[in-house]
Amino acid sequence: MLYYSADQPSQPKRGGVTALDQEPLTRLRAVRVPPPPPQTFSRHIESSQHVAETPASSHRFVVVPAFAAPSGHVNSDGYALLQLWEGQVLAADGGNVTAVVRDWTNPTMPDEEVTVSIDEFAPDEQVLVTPGAVFYWSIGYRTRGGTRERVSAFQLRRLPPPSKAERERAKKEAVALSALLGARRSI
Amino acid sequence: MPSSERRHPPASDEIEISLFGPGVGECVVLHLGDGSWMVVDSCCAAPGQGPIALEYLSELKVDVGSAVRLVVVTHWHSDHIGGIGEVFSKSKNADLWCSAAVDIEHFYELVRLLRGADPGVDEFAKLFTELVQRLPAGSRNVDATPGWAVSGRPMLRLPAGTAQPTAEVTALSPSDVAIARAHVKIGEALERAKTDLQSRRLVEQSPNEAAIALWVRAGAFEVLLGSDLEESTSPKDGWRAIVADHAAAARPAARAFKVAHHGSKNADSPDVWQSMLVSGAHAALTPFRRQKLPRPKDLQRLRSRTAELYVTADPEGRKPPRRDAAVDRTIREVAKKRIVLGGRAGHVRFRAPLGGGACDVALFDGAYRVG
């Protein structure tokens, strides 16, 4: 599982402003921590169509799902990922969610627009399913105690809002960039 | 037409207008004569691949580092900027032009806040990085700053060369009114970004009114590139303002047209066809499957205006690709509706002599003529 921390590394400077791609990630520095079980975060359906609800996450810093392992890899929870998409919500109304999903298992697959029920998301998270929200949709098998489940799970990406320090630094660098690049000209 | 056919570069005294679009995404590559090229917007050649402009120019054995003279980012929608950072970083001899609508501190701040969390914003971060890296250390050399396009501003002027007469590129938009509106929307997006608890991704608003429409003149050939610019009810922006400016500038009519905003009704202006384009102009557009554009009635309307109408890819898309059987079964159970958005970028190519003459059309990778 990748969590994002709010570390603030020092930044190299060039030409009076930070060279963006040389800057170590500030707000989004990834830190590896042991993954929680997937059901901590999401609601899942079993192949029998029985719907099981599980507690939604109260974590502030979720992230990229634990199941971002190679397809077919079986983790310690007995979960084998078959398919993973990243999605971005386009619209959420009338109990439906329309989103663009990008295939993370096979990046050569084209993006698709899908419409699913809002009930695919954990009840506590449904209020956050709004245009622009990013989520992960995984499909896999979980094998435990001689039982195999086919699992479809939707999990929202959660990132911390920018801190005051981050906002102040962004403002400062925006002023510098604007002074450097914002000069208008004509030929 | 077989893909091998498109590997032949244009003659030095030919203009080329190549439009690429996979279903969601758009890129225009133009040869202005004498080996000089420009790129307008960017999309990927296919899912997981690099920018189509670089792939295509590589096929033609064009030295991107020296031959591309201009890179234009018409607006910040994600379907127009996929890979644009890489295109510009490889185009070392090119000027970069963006809509003046994004020349505002709030936009730079937005890019800084969302960088790493929004792929579209990341493209702008790459552009800004490349611009900064092109500066001599510690300098404030304004020659390395991007051009900021506003209505009527010349963007590129190539003097007559060995084989070609003068080529010029001029911005037709955005208007001052459109820029002011866009600044308000950027300010709103910034406020959302500061407090967003779950996405840190830009929600695309409607900056189409601040998009850069372009006029290209190469020799005796004039081209109108409509970007995603939409019509307005105000005479001060949109296509109404451009038509009025065109009459005042006394430019000749264009022979080729990149149809604005995927052929949508919102971008349609009969006056453009009547006063800015020759009768029977060659027109091409890309689909935008997310909004199901162009619709059949859009194609009928456009076809009534020219018999030379071309689309880079089927607006309806194709059947979803097959995956693991268990995955396909689960998708059928969960997804109420699916539309395939992307795929291999289709390609419409127009070529014509710079001095005047017939326009040759070639179609590749699923592009088609609207019959």
Side-chain angles (χ1 to χ4, degrees):
Chain A
M1 173 72 79
L2 292 175
Y3 283 80
Y4 291 123
S5 75
D7 291 1
Q8 310 292 333
S10 61
Q11 296 155 30
K13 301 281 183 181
R14 181 184 173 90
V17 296
T18 303
L20 295 176
D21 70 352
Q22 296 175 3
E23 178 201 295
L25 290 174
T26 53
R27 301 166 307 285
L28 303 177
R29 189 174 179 195
V31 180
R32 288 205 175 275
V33 299
Q39 67 267 28
T40 304
F41 295 94
S42 59
R43 169 182 176 133
H44 66 274
I45 62 167
E46 300 172 12
S47 54
S48 64
Q49 298 297 305
H50 169 70
V51 176
E53 293 185 16
T54 53
S57 168
S58 59
H59 280 274
R60 191 164 163 255
F61 298 126
V62 179
V63 107
V64 180
F67 33 71
S71 180
H73 171 77
V74 180
N75 70 12
S76 57
D77 189 42
Y79 181 82
L81 175 74
L82 295 174
Q83 177 67 41
L84 178 65
W85 290 273
E86 183 201 62
Q88 183 175 16
V89 176
L90 298 175
D93 50 39
N96 289 325
V97 179
T98 300
V100 173
V101 294
R102 173 156 295 175
D103 193 322
W104 276 22
T105 303
N106 182 355
T108 65
M109 289 288 195
D111 291 357
E112 294 188 41
E113 181 182 300
V114 298
T115 301
V116 301
S117 168
I118 187 76
D119 293 333
E120 298 298 336
F121 292 84
D124 290 358
E125 304 235 310
Q126 290 177 9
V127 68
L128 299 174
V129 181
T130 56
V134 175
F135 65 88
Y136 303 95
W137 178 15
S138 64
I139 295 172
Y141 282 119
R142 183 185 295 109
T143 305
R144 270 189 307 213
T147 302
R148 191 185 206 201
E149 303 169 313
R150 179 158 48 91
V151 178
S152 166
F154 286 75
Q155 177 180 334
L156 279 178
R157 185 181 76 173
R158 303 288 290 277
L159 297 172
S163 66
K164 185 180 177 189
E166 289 174 80
R167 294 198 304 270
E168 287 174 353
R169 192 176 59 255
K171 174 73 176 171
K172 187 177 172 185
E173 292 179 6
V175 170
L177 266 177
S178 180
L180 194 65
L181 305 179
R184 296 191 176 191
R185 64 169 180 168
S186 59
I187 59 176
Chain B
M1 190 170 284
S3 293
S4 57
E5 169 61 24
R6 78 173 189 175
R7 292 185 192 135
H8 302 296
S12 60
D13 61 351
E14 273 187 320
I15 186 173
E16 172 178 326
I17 305 111
S18 273
L19 176 65
F20 300 90
V24 172
E26 181 173 303
C27 175
V28 195
V29 176
L30 294 98
H31 178 245
L32 302 171
D34 238 10
S36 293
W37 293 81
M38 64 181 278
V39 177
V40 181
D41 293 333
S42 180
C43 64
C44 291
Q49 295 187 13
I52 184 69
L54 296 181
E55 178 187 281
Y56 178 57
L57 292 172
S58 171
E59 282 180 12
L60 298 183
K61 301 196 179 345
V62 169
D63 179 4
V64 172
S66 61
V68 176
R69 303 295 305 277
L70 179 64
V71 174
V72 182
V73 186
T74 65
H75 62 302
W76 74 68
H77 271 168
S78 59
D79 60 314
H80 287 252
I81 58 175
I84 194 75
E86 185 179 351
V87 171
F88 181 58
S89 70
K90 297 262 171 72
S91 304
K92 297 297 184 189
N93 194 32
D95 283 341
L96 174 71
W97 280 75
C98 303
S99 170
V102 300
D103 181 17
I104 179 174
E105 279 178 18
H106 283 174
F107 188 76
Y108 297 116
E109 198 175 344
L110 194 60
V111 170
R112 297 296 291 118
L113 282 177
L114 296 182
R115 177 178 163 264
D118 183 301
V121 164
D122 286 350
E123 293 293 342
F124 273 96
K126 288 176 189 168
L127 292 174
F128 294 157
T129 297
E130 177 66 21
L131 288 164
V132 170
Q133 288 180 337
R134 287 187 186 187
L135 291 176
S139 80
R140 299 176 65 86
N141 184 349
V142 293
D143 286 340
T145 65
W148 299 107
V150 297
S151 170
R153 179 164 287 179
M155 301 164 73
L156 180 71
R157 186 179 296 129
L158 296 177
T162 54
Q164 108 278 19
T166 305
E168 290 181 341
V169 181
T170 306
L172 304 180
S173 64
S175 69
D176 290 337
V177 171
I179 292 170
R181 282 204 205 102
H183 285 178
V184 172
K185 288 176 180 170
I186 290 169
E188 292 169 353
L190 177 60
E191 288 309 308
R192 277 195 302 275
K194 286 177 177 175
T195 56
D196 188 354
L197 290 173
Q198 81 271 20
S199 68
R200 279 211 179 181
R201 194 163 284 191
L202 201 57
V203 178
E204 291 182 350
Q205 300 293 307
S206 303
N208 290 341
E209 63 192 354
I212 308 171
L214 294 163
W215 190 267
V216 179
R217 179 172 72 81
F221 202 98
E222 316 267 343
V223 184
L224 174 59
L225 302 178
S227 182
D228 271 1
L229 188 70
E230 297 186 59
E231 184 53 305
S232 169
T233 54
S234 164
K236 293 183 177 178
D237 66 345
W239 286 106
R240 292 178 69 184
I242 287 176
V243 169
D245 289 347
H246 179 79
R251 292 191 190 99
R255 292 179 55 195
F257 180 31
K258 201 297 284 180
V259 177
H261 195 234
H262 319 288
S264 78
K265 184 81 171 73
N266 291 346
D268 185 53
S269 167
D271 290 342
V272 167
W273 291 87
Q274 287 167 11
S275 60
M276 296 184 73
L277 302 171
V278 300
S279 174
H282 284 67
L285 64 134
T286 61
F288 187 61
R289 291 180 185 148
R290 257 187 243 163
Q291 293 180 4
K292 300 167 185 58
L293 294 173
R295 299 175 200 281
K297 59 185 177 186
D298 295 325
L299 291 176
Q300 284 175 14
R301 184 186 65 251
L302 293 166
R303 181 64 178 75
S304 72
R305 293 180 176 145
T306 181
E308 299 291 338
L309 179 64
Y310 302 88
V311 185
T312 59
D314 180 1
E316 296 291 325
R318 53 189 175 133
K319 286 178 63 177
R322 296 192 66 168
R323 293 180 168 86
D324 178 277
V327 172
D328 280 338
R329 196 161 59 246
T330 310
I331 295 171
R332 284 196 297 274
E333 291 166 1
V334 174
K336 298 179 177 182
K337 193 175 171 187
R338 295 172 75 187
I339 301 170
V340 176
L341 298 177
R344 173 78 198 170
H347 178 186
V348 176
R349 188 186 74 189
F350 300 148
R351 283 181 179 172
L354 288 166
C359 185
D360 176 69
V361 181
L363 305 172
F364 306 97
D365 295 322
Y368 68 99
R369 178 177 184 168
V370 179

